[in-house]
Structures are given as structure tokens and as C-alpha cells.
Amino acid sequence: MKPIFCYQVPVVVGSGISGAAIAMLDPSVVIYDKGRSYGGRVSGKFGSDSLSYDFGATMFRDLMDVHWLGQETKYSLSEIWKSESVDIQTKPIYDPLHFYPVNGMSDLVLGMFGKVKPVQGHTLKKLEASGEETWNLEFHNSATKQIETVCSHSVVLTLPIPQILEIIDRSDTNSKLKLWADFLEPFNDYRKTLVSYFYWDKWKPNWKAFHLNPDSPIPITTSLQRGSDWEYQSWESLKYPNEFREGSALLVQFGAIFSESHFGNWMDSEKKPNPEIQEYLIQGLKEKFGAPEPNLIWNHRWKYAQAQMPLLGREGPLQLDSVTFEEWKDLCKQTGITILGDWFFGAKIERIVGGIYFLSHNNLL
């Protein structure tokens, strides 16, 4: 694994919300990602014929709390972005505490990246210690089909834990990587989530029948029915009305049991539903919304949609007063590898951005 280049700045792997927050606070970092575009779970699809929509996270809260050293500190994402000269235009949605970017959720990532341009299409395959304080990172370049190796004194991984454990397993035996593998194993449980996007070019539902009001100052565009098959519904055409003059669009994120059961047969290579899935979806739209067959059905699946047991807690303040958090800090310092992401903060955007900001400004990152 002879490196073609050695960076004097941290190398971050992953261009999702965690990678973007790190880049916002330290624009000198270098970011690698296996995808063709940035965003991770904060992703959107953009195209013609009213096909712009969010298919990952659909909103965020502005406020979050951190509990550390027996005290709670409150943070505002809008104030964090302002302090870092990041301009993201947002609107309230659902209630006065939730917001979304007017240009789509992936605008959060784009805004925080600023001038940092992630290196896309590079999948991290292995890590190798080079001396006492340097790591070689072996990437597969999807464009050239070649292996490229770089090195750095500081590595930040923001990938899902199952992917990190696979990388460690492929890497040569190393005591520091073994420490991380043992530490991360309890956080290796992730929820799968299936997603469908439906678009009608000439049909709109009876909004009042579903307690939705497009003319409300703070429109309610979503419905959450925990535990049901059609668990989370987001009317994207109400979020972005300028793109849907005559038609409408609905995004559905399906429940955990349903997603686990249908994950393997959900879609073809073009992300269109397989015939039996398509029939089920069309029938469901008719029964739930009185909807005709949509002009488009686009499916997606998140294999690692949500970490089930975040280290700092799933809800409420980030809990830093714990033995496990102290162990994480020691591992980062001892190995030269920092591992962040939703397994650490929880899935909510405000916890990740606010958490990384807090860690950085308290010299914990």
C-alpha cells in the first residue's frame, strides 16, 4: 500500500451530514466518498418534469442540547451556521420548531461544504498503519477501476458501523483497529428503510380530508404512523409548491418490519418497483388516498437507515457524561482515528451538526 500522496490535514471518509459539518468547521480537510454525489442520508433527487424531492431526511429541528459535566448547553443550528458564514435559506414546516431548506435538504450539506469539494467515487477498502502516527488509506476508484492509496496522520470515518467493521476486517491485523472493532460491535445494529416516491402530473388529493392545508403559514406536509407499514408520509408537492402547479408528489418511508421483509425484492436496477411490489403500491395509494395510478414510481432502499443504539442517546440532550464517551475519546487520541456518525449522535440532523460543533469548540474533536 504505497501512498500516491500524503496529506498534512485530516482525511474524512463520508460526504454526508457529518462530513459536511466537519468541513464547515475545518475547510482544510480532504473528504472522500464512494457515491457519485454528496449527501448520504440527507439526499435529494433533482431533474425535470417536477422530479425534485428529498428521499432521505425531510426536516430538522433548529435547537438541540448537550449534557456535559453536569450542565446542559443549548445550541441553535441557525446560529451555528451564521457564526460560520453558512447561508442556508429555510422555512418552518410541521410546527414552529421544525424547518426545511427551500432548495431541498441536500442544500444543508452543500452549504456546509462551502469551497470543500469531496472526492467522489472512491470506496475505502483497507486501512494500514504506517509508522506510529500515520495511516495509509486504500481506495477503489470507481471511474478508473484502480486502487489509489493516500496517507494522513489523522483519519475521520463517518460511515455506518457495519461498513467500518468490514473495512477493519479486510485490513491487516492491527492492535489499534482491533480496539476500535471491539468498541464498535455493540453499536452495529441498524434499521433498514424502504422508500417510494410517487408523482402525478394531473392529480392532487383532497388536502382537507387528510388534515393538510397548503395555504397555512406553517404547512403540515407529513404524517407519522409509528409501527405501520406506510409509516412516514411526506407530500413533497406541498414542501416545494412552485414545482407542482397541477400535479402532486408523495414520499413514503416504510416501517421497520415491512422494510426488513421486502428489502431484497423492492426494486430493479433502475429503481423501479418489481411487478408484485408495483401492484401492492398502486393498490395502497388507491385505498389510502383515493389516488389513481401515478405517472411515476421511484423506489429506494437504505440498508443502514438508522443506528438503533446511538452512543449519546436517541432523543433529548446529547449525553456526554458517560464512561462510554470517555472510552471513545481515549480511542480517538490513542489511534489517530476518529469515528463519528449517527451511531454516535443519533439520526437527527440537529444532533449531528450541533454535536460536531460542540465537540470541536470544546477541543474534544
Side-chain angles (χ1 to χ4, degrees):
M1 293 176 66
K2 186 176 180 180
I4 59 174
F5 192 83
C6 196
Y7 292 102
Q8 302 304 307
V9 297
V11 171
V12 180
V13 182
S15 67
I17 196 74
S18 297
I22 293 168
M24 173 183 69
L25 298 172
D26 182 5
S28 71
V29 300
V30 177
I31 296 182
Y32 283 83
D33 192 274
K34 70 175 183 179
R36 289 177 292 179
S37 60
Y38 53 81
R41 289 185 303 105
V42 187
S43 296
K45 186 173 176 64
F46 307 97
S48 58
D49 301 325
S50 301
L51 299 185
S52 300
Y53 52 92
D54 303 317
F55 62 90
T58 60
M59 66 176 75
F60 64 92
R61 289 174 63 94
D62 182 52
L63 303 176
M64 57 82 66
D65 301 335
V66 177
H67 190 106
W68 187 47
L69 301 179
Q71 297 183 340
E72 286 195 9
T73 305
K74 296 185 180 295
Y75 282 90
S76 159
L77 263 63
S78 58
E79 290 300 318
I80 289 174
W81 289 327
K82 183 178 179 180
S83 70
E84 299 297 326
S85 301
V86 175
D87 182 21
I88 300 173
Q89 300 180 45
T90 63
K91 285 185 177 181
I93 187 173
Y94 187 71
D95 63 25
L97 302 177
H98 289 81
F99 299 84
Y100 76 102
V102 297
N103 294 320
M105 289 295 293
S106 58
D107 199 42
L108 297 179
V109 174
L110 178 62
M112 289 192 292
F113 274 138
K115 295 182 180 180
V116 177
K117 302 299 181 185
V119 181
Q120 304 293 159
H122 282 64
T123 302
L124 179 61
K125 306 300 288 187
K126 295 181 181 179
L127 285 166
E128 179 185 74
S130 177
E132 287 295 319
E133 299 181 350
T134 303
W135 287 100
N136 289 343
L137 297 88
E138 182 181 291
F139 291 95
H140 177 262
N141 185 331
S142 62
T144 65
K145 310 301 181 185
Q146 300 295 314
I147 295 296
E148 299 176 7
T149 302
V150 302
C151 71
S152 175
H153 297 292
S154 176
V155 177
V156 183
L157 305 179
T158 69
L159 308 173
I161 297 305
Q163 293 180 350
I164 292 175
L165 292 177
E166 288 177 4
I167 292 166
I168 292 175
D169 188 57
R170 285 194 298 264
S171 303
D172 293 338
T173 301
N174 179 281
S175 59
K176 292 181 179 180
L177 294 180
K178 178 64 165 56
L179 289 173
W180 267 121
D182 292 342
F183 180 82
L184 294 173
E185 190 61 42
F187 305 100
N188 195 31
D189 185 15
Y190 277 71
R191 168 182 169 169
K192 295 182 174 73
T193 298
L194 296 176
V195 175
S196 283
Y197 171 81
F198 309 102
Y199 167 69
W200 297 266
D201 60 5
K202 298 293 183 182
W203 176 82
K204 292 184 179 182
N206 181 346
W207 300 120
K208 291 184 178 179
F210 301 107
H211 307 288
L212 301 172
N213 181 4
D215 300 319
S216 171
I218 303 179
I220 296 177
T221 69
T222 63
S223 174
L224 176 61
Q225 300 167 359
R226 292 190 184 278
S228 67
D229 289 349
W230 295 54
E231 187 174 62
Y232 180 78
Q233 303 156 22
S234 174
W235 288 94
E236 298 295 282
S237 49
L238 292 185
K239 284 177 65 181
Y240 307 112
N242 293 337
E243 300 185 23
F244 298 89
R245 299 291 186 181
E246 298 180 354
S248 58
L250 171 68
L251 181 86
V252 177
Q253 296 179 9
F254 292 84
I257 296 175
F258 179 92
S259 295
E260 186 75 37
S261 301
H262 297 85
F263 197 82
N265 194 39
W266 188 239
M267 62 191 189
D268 62 20
S269 60
E270 296 180 351
K271 297 201 170 187
K272 296 178 182 178
N274 290 316
E276 62 273 25
I277 296 295
Q278 180 167 334
E279 182 179 351
Y280 165 81
L281 294 174
I282 292 173
Q283 184 62 29
L285 293 169
K286 181 179 179 181
E287 293 175 356
K288 295 176 182 298
F289 309 108
E293 182 173 341
N295 298 92
L296 172 76
I297 302 177
W298 183 88
N299 278 3
H300 185 73
R301 54 189 177 190
W302 296 105
K303 186 175 182 180
Y304 306 118
Q306 184 174 319
Q308 301 282 44
M309 299 288 290
L311 188 149
L312 300 182
R314 186 191 297 271
E315 303 285 347
L318 296 177
Q319 299 291 343
L320 273 63
D321 286 338
S322 71
V323 173
T324 311
F325 176 71
E326 292 299 320
E327 292 175 353
W328 173 85
K329 280 200 310 177
D330 291 342
L331 267 179
C332 294
K333 183 177 181 180
Q334 181 179 347
T335 64
I337 298 175
T338 299
I339 302 182
L340 295 169
D342 66 339
W343 75 274
F344 187 76
F345 298 107
K348 297 185 182 299
I349 290 172
E350 63 272 12
R351 291 169 66 90
I352 297 173
V353 176
I356 288 175
Y357 182 87
F358 179 88
L359 293 176
S360 176
H361 280 256
N362 287 278
N363 296 317
L364 301 171
L365 182 61

